[in-house]
Amino acid sequence: AQSVAQPEDQVNVAEGNPLTVKCTYSVSGNPYLFWYVQYPNRGLQFLLKYITGDNLVKGSYGFEAEFNKSQTSFHLKKPSALVSDSALYFCAVSQPDSWGKLQFGAGTQVVVTP
Amino acid sequence: GAVVSQHPSWVICKSGTSVKIECRSLDFQATTMFWYRQFPKQSLMLMATSNEGSKATYEQGVEKDKFLINHASLTLSTLTVTSAHPEDSSFYICSVYGPGQENSPLHFGNGTRLTVT
């Protein structure tokens, strides 16, 4: 069985400071990993994904994530957070033979203060 | 522009009535659509996988007779919550997938907030 863990319910950061949102996974084989962001009462917006290749993935809005196979982690990072980055962030995983069928982490609320 | 259109964005209905939610793929032919459910302050849980022209595949614990899914065309899937009860109040979100979209990011609708009174 596969699982995704986001250990922090909420992350607080001051505007301009680095932002990190943690994600670890437990799946067999070589999973596909994703980050999505959700604003209140809205659907999900895609940020980035890891399929294969370079472990450092760059995505939308200045976000990036590093795939670490040995630590089974896929942490989301942004060098300098903006107030507008305040939202709910989800890490998700799928298996190569089940593209589209995502299992989501519990989500991490990011609060960026001015 | 939007790739997925979900309608309505919010709906309030009385207990015992049925509600239909539409998910439309605007940019490509969606052979597969996924329906997720999100309770307040919780994650998204996959409810069912909808394949065009065939019966939907439901996840364990999801009542197929309560959550009717129809995927009659390559651009439209509907989720009908039958005989709705207050515990069905939730945020329902669809995502779409189709040929040529392999390894592309999944596109999600903006969700439907259902409140059953």
Side-chain angles (χ1 to χ4, degrees):
Chain A
Q2 60 186 32
S3 66
V4 182
Q6 291 180 245
E8 301 154 316
D9 291 337
Q10 182 166 315
V11 170
N12 298 303
V13 63
E15 187 174 32
N17 282 359
L19 169 64
T20 298
V21 186
K22 296 179 181 177
C23 173
T24 58
Y25 63 92
S26 174
V27 300
S28 59
N30 298 310
Y32 295 162
L33 297 160
F34 305 81
W35 275 102
Y36 283 87
V37 61
Q38 184 182 36
Y39 293 94
N41 291 311
R42 300 295 298 273
L44 302 182
Q45 293 181 27
F46 170 79
L47 287 178
L48 49 81
K49 69 180 189 295
Y50 173 82
I51 304 294
T52 186
D54 195 350
N55 289 343
L56 183 62
V57 179
K58 292 189 181 295
S60 306
Y61 313 117
F63 285 94
E64 60 186 31
E66 186 167 9
F67 172 65
N68 188 317
K69 190 169 185 177
S70 62
Q71 297 184 7
T72 61
S73 67
F74 191 56
H75 302 331
L76 180 70
K77 298 182 180 183
K78 185 171 184 178
S80 178
L82 302 172
V83 173
S84 57
D85 292 329
S86 298
L88 187 57
Y89 290 78
F90 289 102
C91 180
V93 62
S94 75
Q95 292 283 15
D97 60 353
S98 301
W99 182 263
K101 199 170 176 178
L102 297 179
Q103 180 163 356
F104 286 88
T108 298
Q109 183 70 47
V110 170
V111 178
V112 182
T113 53
Chain B
V3 177
V4 183
S5 172
Q6 196 171 332
H7 178 81
S9 55
W10 59 271
V11 59
I12 302 172
C13 71
K14 292 189 175 182
S15 187
T17 61
S18 295
V19 174
K20 181 183 286 187
I21 302 169
E22 294 186 346
C23 180
R24 292 183 185 273
S25 176
L26 302 179
D27 271 9
F28 58 86
Q29 295 182 327
T31 52
T32 304
M33 292 188 180
F34 301 91
W35 287 96
Y36 291 84
R37 181 176 183 176
Q38 184 182 28
F39 289 106
K41 300 188 184 299
Q42 294 189 28
S43 188
L44 288 83
M45 300 297 294
L46 180 65
M47 298 175 66
T49 303
S50 166
N51 294 299
E52 188 267 337
S54 63
K55 290 184 178 180
T57 303
Y58 290 81
E59 296 299 304
Q60 191 173 8
V62 178
E63 299 175 59
K64 63 179 181 180
D65 294 330
K66 179 163 188 65
F67 299 99
L68 300 179
I69 292 173
N70 184 288
H71 192 160
S73 80
L74 287 170
T75 59
L76 175 65
S77 175
T78 61
L79 168 68
T80 301
V81 183
T82 63
S83 186
H85 290 284
E87 57 265 30
D88 298 324
S89 298
S90 188
F91 195 57
Y92 295 87
I93 309 176
C94 68
S95 69
V96 302
Y97 168 71
Q101 298 299 308
E102 293 83 4
N103 298 339
S104 295
L106 287 169
H107 300 283
F108 285 81
N110 276 334
T112 297
R113 171 74 60 194
L114 170 62
T115 302
V116 184
T117 61

